[in-house]
Amino acid sequence: MIWNTMMGTSILSIPWGIKQAGFTSGIILILLMGILTLYCCYRVVKSRQIIPLIDTSNWEFPDVCKYYFGSFGQWSSLLFSMISLVGAMVVYWVLMSNFLFNTGKFIYNYVHDINVTDIVPGTNGSNKVICPSAASSHLPWNRSMVFSADNITGFTLFEKWWNKSQTVPFYLIAVLLPMLNLKSPSFFAKFNVLGTVSVVYLVLLVTVKAAHLGIHLEFHWFTENEFFVPEFRILFPQLTGVLTLAFFIHNCVITLLQNNRNQENNVRDLSIAYFLVGLTYLYVGVIIFASFPSPPLSKECIEQNFLDNFPSDDIMSFVARIFLLFQMMTVYPLLGYLARVQLLRQFFGNAYPSLFHVLALNLAIVGAGVAMARFYPNIGGIIRYSGATCGLAFVFVYPSLIYMISLHRAGQLTWPALITHIFIILLGLANLIAQFLL
């Protein structure tokens, strides 16, 4: 359950993050961030047990924050929790727009027997890999079309009304906004298995593509050439920002572990889940980076969503986008429900005070998603900014502060513990600041 919940959209940006950090540096950072976030998550799980003389069996982590920090802890934990939820929903909207656009384009071209020859730089053959970032911006649609004259008018009209950023993000409103207004999204929770199927299929896709493309690695430790990036790059904080959200489950881990029949196994199960998540990220990130055909392309061509490096007519990528689109359309209402419960219950004491309140909140959330898909469809940027922001509170600051305060009250705080946890807090702060500097 924890693995399935933690595995999300971040997996699509891990190869891009490794490119930003450098291959060797990226592997090291995935391992270190996995260990660090696991320790901080362990501190969250144990945070209720160190509170004396109070029954905390029904407490969530925001309740623990309220106990230690008063109303400030209560409201700040709510704020950062909303940032993580809304940030995830914005990323989902950008990705759903991307997947819906590419799916519609694939179906249209197939039905009308249109042969679209991409002029975007890429490899040849049946397992083509492209470099969208190198496309010529001055050409219409960034591609050359090869089809009969009778289809020109229809294709032009299709391109006008099926645009990745100008129209498709708005079409999703008709489907998803009514879902967000349902009082209970329990129906969509039944499709949670789609998340597991999607991740398993992505691993299969990566494996098959790598088998066909082969390994393309050439180690340049500190210098950059035309086709390869250095093993260590100053842009590495972009990967740590992505990984903060990729390993983020701290605001709901207590709830998830409450369902364990044997509570004494919580730490073991948490460790296994983090190991599996880290292994999945490592596998996908390393394989995509290593097999990316460089030359003839450059590793710099790896996109923030690695599926964008495969053309829209690629069958395996088409199936992956279908899986992910349906998965996200079922998870999106669940995230909206969590955001509604946390925010409206805090202000009005009721998760559904009225249709007007719920509709106003949902319109604001959907509007944020549409605006990002329209003007800033960079999932890597959105993930790292929201991950570093919410992670500062839930991953680095609150678990460390609560542990130090509890040790101090018990008269057990030592200098090594104090220095270690202050260092963790400083790492979280540096992680956030670095996102805006690089």
Side-chain angles (χ1 to χ4, degrees):
M1 173 63 75
I2 297 177
W3 175 86
N4 190 36
T5 304
M6 204 185 313
M7 293 298 305
T9 57
S10 301
I11 191 174
L12 299 173
S13 295
I14 295 296
W16 170 80
I18 291 179
K19 176 199 74 175
Q20 298 301 91
F23 183 61
T24 302
S25 179
I27 294 175
I28 294 173
L29 286 175
I30 291 175
L31 295 173
L32 292 180
M33 285 294 293
I35 295 171
L36 179 59
T37 50
L38 169 60
Y39 173 74
C40 294
C41 198
Y42 166 76
R43 293 264 63 96
V44 171
V45 172
K46 293 294 184 179
S47 62
R48 297 184 306 171
Q49 303 174 11
I50 57 180
I51 298 177
L53 307 177
I54 298 178
D55 181 14
T56 59
S57 57
N58 295 321
W59 283 24
E60 303 292 341
F61 191 59
D63 297 315
V64 178
C65 294
K66 182 180 179 181
Y67 172 82
Y68 281 99
F69 308 114
S71 59
F72 172 80
Q74 177 185 5
W75 290 103
S76 60
S77 62
L78 173 65
L79 171 64
F80 288 111
S81 182
M82 290 299 297
I83 290 175
S84 67
L85 288 171
V86 175
M89 294 179 74
V90 167
V91 172
Y92 271 44
W93 201 279
V94 174
L95 285 172
M96 286 187 294
S97 301
N98 180 308
F99 297 150
L100 183 59
F101 168 77
N102 283 288
T103 301
K105 188 168 68 170
F106 175 91
I107 295 174
Y108 182 89
N109 293 341
Y110 181 80
V111 170
H112 293 83
D113 195 25
I114 295 176
N115 178 24
V116 178
T117 305
D118 289 323
I119 65 170
V120 177
T123 59
N124 298 319
S126 57
N127 288 281
K128 185 174 183 180
V129 178
I130 61 176
C131 184
S133 58
S136 302
S137 59
H138 64 280
L139 292 174
W141 311 303
N142 290 331
R143 61 180 72 83
S144 61
M145 282 71 71
V146 181
F147 45 73
S148 64
D150 295 338
N151 288 329
I152 293 178
T153 302
F155 189 82
T156 303
L157 190 63
F158 172 75
E159 288 284 307
K160 177 182 178 181
W161 292 103
W162 196 257
N163 186 281
K164 189 174 183 178
S165 61
Q166 296 181 6
T167 59
V168 173
F170 293 92
Y171 297 155
L172 288 170
I173 297 176
V175 178
L176 294 174
L177 185 58
M179 293 182 182
L180 286 176
N181 294 321
L182 297 176
K183 283 192 173 182
S184 174
S186 56
F187 171 76
F188 302 105
K190 299 176 183 178
F191 294 92
N192 194 42
V193 68
L194 283 176
T196 303
V197 174
S198 299
V199 174
V200 171
Y201 183 80
L202 278 178
V203 171
L204 175 64
L205 180 148
V206 167
T207 304
V208 172
K209 293 295 183 182
H212 285 92
L213 294 170
I215 301 300
H216 303 266
L217 279 179
E218 183 177 320
F219 295 98
H220 294 265
W221 293 103
F222 301 104
T223 58
E224 189 164 357
N225 69 9
E226 182 180 357
F227 300 110
F228 292 88
V229 297
E231 298 305 298
F232 298 91
R233 304 183 77 185
I234 194 65
L235 298 175
F236 72 88
Q238 295 186 8
L239 176 58
T240 61
V242 170
L243 290 173
T244 306
L245 192 64
F247 287 113
F248 183 74
I249 199 174
H250 301 63
N251 62 338
C252 60
V253 65
I254 292 177
T255 303
L256 293 174
L257 290 176
Q258 280 178 341
N259 298 322
N260 268 7
R261 180 176 300 176
N262 300 315
Q263 289 294 304
E264 64 274 10
N265 295 333
N266 282 349
V267 175
R268 182 203 65 185
D269 294 345
L270 184 67
S271 302
I272 293 174
Y274 263 85
F275 172 77
L276 294 176
V277 169
L279 187 63
T280 307
Y281 288 153
L282 269 176
Y283 182 81
V284 171
V286 168
I287 293 297
I288 286 291
F289 185 93
S291 64
F292 194 84
S294 174
L297 301 179
S298 168
K299 298 291 187 183
E300 290 288 358
C301 290
I302 298 176
E303 294 291 309
Q304 295 183 14
N305 170 7
F306 75 80
L307 289 178
D308 287 342
N309 285 116
F310 302 108
S312 58
D313 60 353
D314 182 84
I315 297 296
M316 289 197 71
S317 301
F318 168 73
V319 175
R321 291 182 179 109
I322 290 289
F323 269 127
L324 290 166
L325 178 61
F326 281 101
Q327 179 220 346
M328 292 180 183
M329 290 182 70
T330 58
V331 174
Y332 188 85
L334 295 176
L335 295 175
Y337 175 76
L338 291 174
R340 180 209 312 170
V341 168
Q342 291 190 17
L343 189 65
L344 298 186
R345 183 173 289 171
Q346 194 68 41
F347 280 97
F348 302 102
N350 187 343
Y352 205 101
S354 72
L355 179 60
F356 172 78
H357 291 85
V358 174
L359 183 61
L361 174 63
N362 291 334
L363 282 173
I365 294 175
V366 168
V370 172
M372 283 295 185
R374 175 70 178 84
F375 300 107
Y376 188 75
N378 302 317
I379 65 165
I382 301 171
I383 288 174
R384 69 187 182 95
Y385 287 126
S386 60
T389 302
C390 65
L392 175 64
F394 279 106
V395 178
F396 299 103
V397 175
Y398 285 155
S400 298
L401 279 180
I402 288 172
Y403 182 59
M404 286 189 293
I405 293 173
S406 65
L407 289 179
H408 177 70
R409 291 179 178 178
Q412 299 174 355
L413 182 61
T414 61
W415 279 108
L418 179 66
I419 293 173
T420 299
H421 291 87
I422 289 178
F423 179 68
I424 291 176
I425 294 174
L426 292 177
L427 283 178
L429 184 61
N431 183 40
L432 177 60
I433 294 174
Q435 305 309 316
F436 298 93
L437 298 179
L438 298 173

